[in-house]
Amino acid sequence: MKATRLLRVLLLALVLLVGASGAAAQGGGAVPRRRPRTVDVGVILDRTTWLGNMSWTCMELAMEDFYANAVDAAAAGVDLLKNVGVQAIVGPQTSTQAKFLARLGNKSSVPIISFSADCPSRSGLTPYFIRTAWNDSSQAEAIASLVQKHNWREVVPVFEDDDTNTKFIPDLVDALKQVDTRVSYRCKIHPSATVDAMKAVISSLRHNWTSVFIVRMSHALALKFFQLAKDEGMMGQGFVWITAYGLTDIFDVVGSPALDVMQGVLGVKPHVQDTVKLQNFAQKWHSKYRLENPGTSLSEPTVSGLYAYDTIWALASAAENATYVNLDFGPSVTKNGSTDFDRIDTSKAAEKLRGALLKVNFSGMSGKFRIENTQLASSYYTIINIVGQERREVGFWTPEFGISGSLNMKSDIKTIIWPGGDHETVPRGWLLPRNKRLQIGVPANPGFGQLVRYENGPEGKKGFCIKVFDEVVDNLPYQVLYDYHGFDDGQGNSNGTYDELIYKLYLKEFDAVVGDVTILANRSLYVDFTLPYTESGVRMLVPVLDRRQKTAWTFLKPLTADLWLGTGAFVVFTGFVVWCIENHEDFKGTPANQIGSVFYFSFSTLVFAHREKIKNNLSRIVVVVWLFVVLIVQQSYTASLSSILTVEQLQPTVTNLDEVIRKGSHVGYLNDSFLPGLLKSLKIDESKMIALNSVEEYNDALSTGKVAVIVDEIPYLKLFLSKYCHNYTMTGPIYRFDGFGYAFPLGSPLTADITRGILKLASSGKMAELQKDLYGDKSCPDKDDSQTSSSLTLHSFQGLFSISGACSILALILHALITNKGVFSRWLAAICSKLFHKSNILQIMMRPVANAGNTGSPPEGQGSRV
């Protein structure tokens, strides 16, 4: 009786009778009759376990189905084992058994065939260890796809610490890496763990951020584990539990006790197509199994049982197809071994059987049966969801479509009921540890308290960085409790550099760092940063001077020389055109008087003080256009001169660092920052660098000439300029950095949520309000060369002068055509006669014109008009 309670090795010679029809006959035409032969297969099962009993029933049914008339031969199996060596061994249930038997099979060339044991080695055991169950690596891919579908970025495998998971867990971790999911740590549970030990493990899981767990362990251990997890409150809302196959069939084997404590659990199991053949087999199996195992809760064979059936069927098929060889074992290579293992003989028949088995290809109870790389070729997986007493199929995994609601196309899976009964919100994959208050480190920067000052409590004074963080956290859809802790020496002074503070976060002395911490590549190796919440970049802060000199000739500066000359030329030209067109006493007299009238009229229009009467419509048009030009030029001149005389033309004293390096000037920077590294990369001597701590020190250093420039990040410089805007400016190129960000431990799920919160805060306008509180209402624009008033050029007024000139020329031409139908030379003579009207020669020249165009001679003293 004692032996029956221990793990037993039952060697049953399954006599596989291979025969050929036909009778032996003498003479021609008769087909020789092939003698039936037996292929002996050893079966190793633990009949004290549910799996051993269930598998044994399935294997017996497989023999009955394959050899309908040869069942009586099985009775001779035990006796034959004493005299005949088996050619195959089926059924090591555990990985430990498989590890030993694989060596036995390799020694004797006998295939060791397992439909339930997991391979205890990532590289496999031996060529003679064959798993007629699906490859665990494909199951790992299915689980990774399920994790990827729900965007869970971190998971924790929880597994039994035995040979069963030696290969599966590394395969699972590799598959999760392929979908960018991190495994923070691996939770091992010893097979003989006590209740207290399991409670400690569950408590450690509860105090971890990750809430997605992938579980694989024996049924008995899993039942205790999930009961304790339920007691601890970990089967409620926000948690995700995924069972790998090997545990998923616990619902079939254990029934209600497992279903009661595993509500909302997702399970992965090989997909088996429901066929008429399978239904008929299940009925036969149920009758036989219940008869042999009364009181069992198992109502149908599990997938492992179907594998057992298909394994025996495949072996029988292989035996039918294998070429006959002498069944005797050959002599052992080691004749004088000290153990039975060393004296094991080899079997050529078994090797032939192995070769035939690897070629078997048929549709079995579990699906397509084909051996690839000494394992059953995997196909599809079914995703089940435990709801009440029901195991709901919610989807499938296929190599073509990944997680899908259909085997044949990509589609949505059914609604999943998560732990706690929630079906509307997918768990985000992490939860704040129970009763956890985040300990947040804040850098000490008393010189820029407007950025990082803090006081715990809702009414405490806080700087910009702290206010932004509080606003973001307050808008999260869940509560986060936290306390600020200054990184100082107790006197308000910094306790180290910003890099040292970041390293303390890496060492988990803080849960986050909130403050004016710049996002840098080397820091991101140790922590995760949110997106920046401030303006990014580094610039120079320099004093400004008024470069514009006021002299006696300042009034000439508004216009350039070409504009002065151009304006004068158009003044004279416009006066000339008006003089040519007008014909009254204001424009007559001696040549000197007429020239004076032209110039006086032209220049008086500059101040709209001309008194001469304009009677001709053409000249009026010319004057109107010209006055418009004069108005624009005059107003522009006045504005430019006012700016020159009244506005300081402030320009930076330094425009680039090359000038500072060339002069050997000193450069200031913010103490405890990353800027010394930047300045060194810009070829600035370390002896020329001076560390400063506050806005006031910045002002003193620049105003006294202690430093020529200060190099710092834009938020600090804008804060400085909000107080000292008049005498300083930012200038030079912007050295690109990512700005201020909040730091969290690597892989922290808070990083993504805080980043999204920053984006929402910026888009809502609240960020702009906080920046306004920080920098004030008035902006301080850069004072650079682009702001310096420059002289007006002729090019600026080219269009106006072109219009005025065109109007003047057109008016002159129209006047000539209207008043004189003669040739152009006579018209020119008329102009000369106006100047020299006493000349007889000109009177003679003009006489034909007068006779042609008038009824009589013009009155004395008047010249002919054109």
Side-chain angles (χ1 to χ4, degrees):
M1 294 298 294
K2 181 178 179 181
T4 62
R5 293 193 300 267
L6 301 175
L7 177 67
R8 297 173 302 181
V9 178
L10 175 62
L11 300 177
L12 173 63
L14 298 180
V15 182
L16 308 179
L17 301 179
V18 181
S21 60
Q26 300 294 330
V31 178
R33 188 175 186 273
R34 192 173 62 185
R35 292 174 51 195
R37 67 177 185 273
T38 61
V39 178
D40 303 304
V41 178
V43 179
I44 301 177
L45 292 175
D46 184 357
R47 293 297 301 276
T48 64
T49 65
W50 71 269
L51 180 59
N53 289 329
M54 182 201 65
S55 302
W56 178 250
T57 302
C58 291
M59 293 164 69
E60 285 185 319
L61 288 174
M63 288 295 298
E64 291 177 8
D65 290 345
F66 195 88
Y67 295 107
N69 299 317
V71 178
D72 58 336
V78 174
D79 181 63
L80 291 173
L81 284 173
K82 298 178 181 178
N83 304 304
V84 181
V86 295
Q87 282 114 60
I89 297 176
V90 178
Q93 289 180 211
T94 68
S95 298
T96 303
Q97 296 171 3
K99 185 186 296 185
F100 172 78
L101 290 174
R103 296 174 60 201
L104 183 69
N106 196 50
K107 179 73 175 177
S108 61
S109 299
V110 172
I112 309 299
I113 306 166
S114 176
F115 51 83
S116 60
D118 299 294
C119 183
S121 171
R122 294 204 73 186
S123 59
L125 290 175
T126 72
Y128 291 89
F129 180 74
I130 300 173
R131 289 190 71 237
T132 52
W134 284 5
N135 187 352
D136 274 343
S137 62
S138 64
Q139 180 182 194
E141 292 178 20
I143 294 174
S145 294
L146 185 61
V147 170
Q148 183 186 34
K149 178 176 178 58
H150 295 94
N151 296 316
W152 295 319
R153 302 267 53 90
E154 186 170 323
V155 302
V156 173
V158 183
F159 56 96
E160 191 168 352
D161 189 13
D162 61 5
D163 289 336
T164 303
N165 295 298
T166 301
K167 183 176 186 298
F168 172 70
I169 295 301
D171 286 345
L172 176 64
V173 172
D174 290 345
L176 290 170
K177 285 181 180 179
Q178 296 299 317
V179 297
D180 295 327
T181 298
R182 181 168 166 264
V183 175
S184 54
Y185 73 101
R186 309 177 190 189
C187 180
K188 300 179 182 180
I189 300 179
H190 195 273
S192 59
T194 63
V195 172
D196 290 338
M198 294 180 69
K199 284 183 176 180
V201 170
I202 293 172
S203 179
S204 68
L205 293 175
R206 184 65 182 88
H207 287 86
N208 192 277
W209 291 72
T210 306
S211 62
V212 180
F213 307 102
I214 300 172
V215 186
R216 191 180 190 191
M217 56 183 69
S218 64
H219 295 168
L221 190 64
L223 193 60
K224 292 190 294 183
F225 175 84
F226 278 102
Q227 182 62 62
L228 293 173
K230 183 179 180 181
D231 296 341
E232 189 69 16
M234 295 185 66
M235 299 303 297
Q237 192 170 2
F239 290 94
V240 178
W241 297 92
I242 303 172
T243 61
Y245 187 70
L247 175 56
T248 305
D249 52 12
I250 188 176
F251 309 115
D252 301 313
V253 177
V254 178
S256 293
L259 295 170
D260 291 341
V261 299
M262 298 176 70
Q263 290 295 301
V265 170
L266 294 176
V268 176
K269 69 175 186 178
H271 175 71
V272 177
Q273 188 69 34
D274 189 16
T275 62
V276 175
K277 182 173 68 172
L278 179 59
Q279 293 173 0
N280 294 335
F281 167 74
Q283 291 178 358
K284 289 169 41 179
W285 178 91
H286 184 269
S287 300
K288 184 176 180 62
Y289 185 75
R290 284 299 179 94
L291 183 65
E292 296 178 354
N293 301 275
T296 181
S297 61
L298 194 61
S299 60
E300 61 183 18
T302 66
V303 178
S304 294
L306 301 182
Y307 288 156
Y309 182 98
D310 289 344
T311 299
I312 296 304
W313 189 280
L315 268 173
S317 298
E320 289 282 343
N321 297 328
T323 304
Y324 178 81
V325 296
N326 189 349
L327 300 183
D328 293 336
F329 279 74
S332 172
V333 177
T334 306
K335 299 182 179 297
N336 298 319
S338 59
T339 65
D340 291 338
F341 180 79
D342 293 329
R343 292 190 292 270
I344 291 177
D345 295 335
T346 59
S347 172
K348 294 183 179 179
E351 192 166 356
K352 282 281 188 180
L353 181 63
R354 172 186 174 275
L357 178 62
L358 295 179
K359 297 177 182 178
V360 169
N361 189 341
F362 67 96
S363 294
M365 290 295 176
S366 63
K368 192 71 174 177
F369 189 99
R370 186 177 74 257
I371 302 297
E372 290 181 357
N373 298 322
T374 70
Q375 293 195 95
L376 187 64
S378 57
S379 183
Y380 307 142
Y381 283 89
T382 300
I383 312 298
I384 66 169
N385 181 208
I386 304 303
V387 181
Q389 297 297 306
E390 182 185 358
R391 288 151 284 185
R392 298 172 58 243
E393 289 189 0
V394 295
F396 307 94
W397 176 87
T398 67
E400 296 82 9
F401 306 115
I403 300 297
S404 175
S406 171
L407 291 170
N408 303 317
M409 59 182 293
K410 186 70 175 179
S411 62
D412 294 334
I413 64 175
K414 296 178 182 178
T415 300
I416 296 174
I417 308 299
W418 304 100
D422 188 5
H423 64 277
E424 296 181 352
T425 305
V426 176
R428 61 176 179 265
W430 64 273
L431 293 172
L432 286 171
R434 181 183 295 177
N435 301 323
K436 172 74 172 179
R437 294 186 70 90
L438 301 183
Q439 306 306 309
I440 298 179
V442 180
N445 193 348
F448 290 88
Q450 300 95 321
L451 289 172
V452 294
R453 179 176 59 243
Y454 77 94
E455 293 177 6
N456 282 314
E459 303 299 328
K461 295 181 179 180
K462 299 175 182 178
F464 172 77
C465 301
I466 311 300
K467 288 180 182 178
V468 172
F469 184 78
D470 287 346
E471 286 285 344
V472 170
V473 173
D474 288 343
N475 291 321
L476 291 176
Y478 49 88
Q479 185 181 30
V480 178
L481 304 177
Y482 56 93
D483 295 313
Y484 292 116
H485 299 275
F487 185 57
D488 54 34
D489 58 2
Q491 304 298 322
N493 299 315
S494 178
N495 201 29
T497 65
Y498 283 68
D499 287 341
E500 291 172 348
L501 175 58
I502 290 297
Y503 192 67
K504 286 191 175 293
L505 174 61
Y506 173 74
L507 296 177
K508 300 188 184 301
E509 295 184 23
F510 294 111
D511 297 309
V513 170
V514 171
D516 53 340
V517 180
T518 306
I519 302 171
L520 298 176
N522 63 322
R523 293 174 181 173
S524 65
L525 298 175
Y526 300 93
V527 298
D528 284 340
F529 283 100
T530 64
L531 284 179
Y533 57 90
T534 62
E535 188 175 357
S536 61
V538 173
R539 294 192 74 184
M540 294 190 303
L541 179 69
V542 299
V544 292
L545 293 176
D546 187 2
R547 300 288 188 180
R548 185 65 60 85
Q549 300 294 324
K550 278 76 172 180
T551 67
W553 300 99
T554 301
F555 72 92
L556 294 175
K557 291 184 178 180
L559 307 182
T560 58
D562 58 347
L563 182 54
W564 279 115
L565 294 174
T567 303
F570 269 85
V571 165
V572 175
F573 177 69
T574 302
F576 171 74
V577 171
V578 172
W579 173 78
C580 289
I581 297 176
E582 289 298 323
N583 182 25
H584 54 83
E585 59 277 3
D586 289 343
F587 292 95
K588 292 179 179 179
T590 64
N593 288 337
Q594 292 189 45
I595 293 174
S597 297
V598 168
F599 279 98
Y600 177 78
F601 171 80
S602 300
F603 283 100
S604 63
T605 58
L606 295 176
V607 291
F608 309 102
H610 53 283
R611 293 180 298 175
E612 290 78 7
K613 294 180 179 180
I614 306 299
K615 297 180 179 181
N616 192 292
N617 286 334
L618 291 175
S619 59
R620 287 173 180 173
I621 294 173
V622 171
V623 171
V624 168
V625 174
W626 171 244
L627 290 178
F628 178 73
V629 174
V630 168
L631 177 65
I632 300 299
V633 174
Q634 183 190 66
Q635 295 297 324
S636 301
Y637 173 84
T638 302
S640 181
L641 183 61
S642 299
S643 175
I644 292 173
L645 295 176
T646 61
V647 179
E648 291 182 323
Q649 302 299 316
L650 301 177
Q651 296 181 16
T653 56
V654 178
T655 57
N656 58 72
L657 282 176
D658 292 336
E659 184 179 348
V660 176
I661 297 172
R662 187 170 59 253
K663 294 180 178 180
S665 303
H666 287 83
V667 177
Y669 66 91
L670 181 62
N671 195 21
D672 293 332
S673 68
F674 69 95
L675 290 167
L678 171 64
L679 295 177
K680 290 178 183 177
S681 68
L682 296 174
K683 311 301 182 185
I684 296 179
D685 192 277
E686 191 171 359
S687 63
K688 299 296 183 180
M689 302 179 195
I690 298 179
L692 304 171
N693 293 290
S694 66
V695 170
E696 291 72 22
E697 288 189 16
Y698 280 19
N699 180 50
D700 292 341
L702 289 171
S703 60
T704 60
K706 184 178 179 180
V707 298
V709 299
I710 291 176
V711 177
D712 207 344
E713 292 180 85
I714 291 177
Y716 297 113
L717 300 184
K718 291 178 70 173
L719 192 59
F720 173 86
L721 291 174
S722 66
K723 186 175 182 180
Y724 300 99
C725 179
H726 184 69
N727 297 322
Y728 305 97
T729 187
M730 286 189 290
T731 189
I734 298 176
Y735 301 97
R736 293 296 177 186
F737 288 89
D738 287 336
F740 297 164
Y742 300 123
F744 293 91
L746 288 172
S748 172
L750 271 176
T751 307
D753 284 358
I754 297 296
T755 292
R756 282 188 286 269
I758 291 172
L759 296 176
K760 290 180 181 178
L761 198 68
S763 61
S764 68
K766 183 63 178 179
M767 184 74 78
E769 293 180 15
L770 295 175
Q771 290 176 342
K772 183 177 179 181
D773 293 340
L774 176 65
Y775 300 126
D777 295 334
K778 297 181 180 179
S779 61
C780 187
D782 290 353
K783 305 175 185 66
D784 53 26
D785 292 337
S786 63
Q787 293 180 297
T788 301
S789 298
S790 58
S791 299
L792 302 173
T793 65
L794 179 62
H795 181 74
S796 303
F797 301 94
Q798 185 175 356
L800 288 172
F801 284 129
S802 299
I803 294 173
S804 177
C807 289
S808 298
I809 294 173
L810 183 61
L812 198 60
I813 294 173
L814 289 176
H815 177 71
L817 294 176
I818 291 171
T819 59
N820 191 353
K821 300 184 183 299
V823 295
F824 179 76
S825 59
R826 292 182 179 178
W827 172 77
L828 183 60
I831 295 176
C832 294
S833 70
K834 184 178 180 180
L835 294 175
F836 307 102
H837 59 279
K838 300 283 186 187
S839 174
N840 293 329
I841 297 177
L842 292 177
Q843 288 179 356
I844 294 172
M845 292 177 64
M846 292 296 295
R847 189 173 294 119
V849 177
N851 292 334
N854 300 290
T855 57
S857 301
E860 184 178 356
Q862 292 187 4
S864 178
R865 298 295 296 168
V866 177

